[in-house]
Amino acid sequence: MIRVLIVDDDPMVAELNKRYLQKVHGFTLAGIVHTVKDAREFLETERVHLILLDVYMPSATGIDLLRFIRKKNISVDVILITAATDKENIQTALRYGALDYLIKPFEFNRFNQALLQYKEKHHFFENHPMLRQEDIDGQILSTEQKFAASSIENLPKGLTTSTLESILKVIQTKANQPFSTDDISEITVISRVSVRKYLKFLTNLGILEESLTYGVGRPGHLYRLKEHKLKQLNRFF
């Protein structure tokens, strides 16, 4: 389980973040603190993988805590959840290594997206002590890089409209049911490796919603179609 520390001076916001966190599989609450001082003391005694951090707090800010974490070389990741919208705070947070930046108020879907992306990277690093270039290119992408695909005008190299159309036809028969790479591969008789490339492409466009499922062995990926997003594909046909 991924241990999470919530740092927010507003008890109501901290409680909301806690409730959201409890909805996402694979995470457990390590604690809630309301000041940077308490967060620093918590990190000295407790194991934490991820901090959900506010910026505006009394005495010291979330940016101050980020500086402390990097100065002390503490092995913990940080996602900012804050009302701070000024360029300086956002840029500084990212420069200090924040993995994502959620601006209040936000919806659960955005929160869920941030945590699922973090979980995927977290498990990937746990299972891959050595990385290849293709691992970095395919897995260790920032949110900005992954969703930049929404602006492309041509299919990525190696993908064809005919194969994309075949895969889409099968996906649309799934309606709102989750499906795996194997499900599509078996019906289309297209290799799992090829199908995975198309599903990754559709996920980056926001047409598919991806989630991790846990059973025996390594986590598996399940996908669900967002039908209202299909019009984005018109430019490729």
Side-chain angles (χ1 to χ4, degrees):
M1 297 288 278
I2 297 170
R3 292 174 53 81
V4 180
L5 173 65
I6 295 173
V7 184
D8 197 303
D9 68 318
D10 188 329
M12 292 182 65
V13 173
E15 179 63 26
L16 176 62
N17 290 340
K18 172 186 172 182
R19 292 178 184 176
Y20 277 176
L21 181 70
Q22 291 171 338
K23 294 181 179 181
V24 187
H25 180 78
F27 293 84
T28 186
L29 181 66
I32 296 176
V33 296
H34 303 297
T35 67
V36 169
K37 179 178 180 293
D38 289 343
R40 291 171 59 165
E41 292 175 355
F42 192 96
L43 291 172
E44 290 175 358
T45 59
E46 300 290 338
R47 178 167 173 74
V48 176
H49 298 110
L50 176 66
I51 298 174
L52 303 182
L53 178 63
D54 190 14
V55 170
Y56 297 132
M57 288 179 285
S59 301
T61 69
I63 301 299
D64 293 326
L65 181 60
L66 270 176
R67 291 193 185 98
F68 170 80
I69 289 169
R70 299 316 170 205
K71 182 179 179 180
K72 297 295 184 180
N73 198 27
I74 299 173
S75 297
V76 66
D77 294 310
V78 178
I79 292 176
L80 271 291
I81 299 182
T82 177
T85 59
D86 58 287
K87 179 182 70 175
E88 288 74 17
N89 272 314
I90 295 172
Q91 286 185 325
T92 302
L94 295 175
R95 286 167 180 161
Y96 277 112
L99 297 180
D100 207 340
Y101 199 104
L102 278 65
I103 296 175
K104 302 174 184 176
F106 55 88
E107 296 183 356
F108 172 72
N109 285 345
R110 182 63 180 87
F111 180 94
N112 187 53
Q113 178 192 87
L115 264 64
L116 289 179
Q117 288 177 346
Y118 174 76
K119 181 167 64 174
E120 183 175 357
K121 291 179 183 178
H122 178 84
H123 288 305
F124 184 81
F125 278 122
E126 282 193 333
N127 293 317
H128 295 80
M130 300 294 290
L131 300 180
R132 302 166 299 171
Q133 184 65 56
E134 50 264 41
D135 295 326
I136 296 171
D137 294 342
Q139 296 289 336
I140 317 303
L141 294 175
S142 68
T143 301
E144 291 83 3
Q145 289 172 314
K146 289 182 76 174
F147 287 89
S150 62
S151 63
I152 65 175
E153 295 298 331
N154 299 304
L155 288 176
K157 185 177 179 180
L159 273 59
T160 67
T161 53
S162 58
T163 302
L164 176 60
E165 189 172 13
S166 297
I167 290 173
L168 277 173
K169 285 180 180 178
V170 176
I171 290 175
Q172 287 178 286
T173 66
K174 300 295 181 181
N176 293 319
Q177 297 301 313
F179 57 88
S180 66
T181 301
D182 287 343
D183 294 333
I184 305 302
S185 179
E186 289 174 7
I187 297 173
T188 59
V189 198
I190 299 171
S191 72
R192 293 177 69 255
V193 173
S194 293
V195 169
R196 191 179 298 115
K197 291 179 181 178
Y198 284 88
L199 297 185
K200 194 73 174 178
F201 170 66
L202 293 171
T203 300
N204 287 346
L205 286 177
I207 293 167
L208 296 182
E209 180 179 323
E210 183 181 17
S211 61
L212 288 173
T213 180
Y214 296 85
V216 178
R218 296 176 62 180
H221 294 260
L222 287 179
Y223 302 87
R224 192 185 299 269
L225 175 65
K226 297 180 179 178
E227 291 191 59
H228 64 286
K229 297 279 190 176
L230 280 173
K231 61 183 179 181
Q232 291 189 44
L233 293 175
N234 292 341
R235 61 190 133 148
F236 302 117
F237 296 100

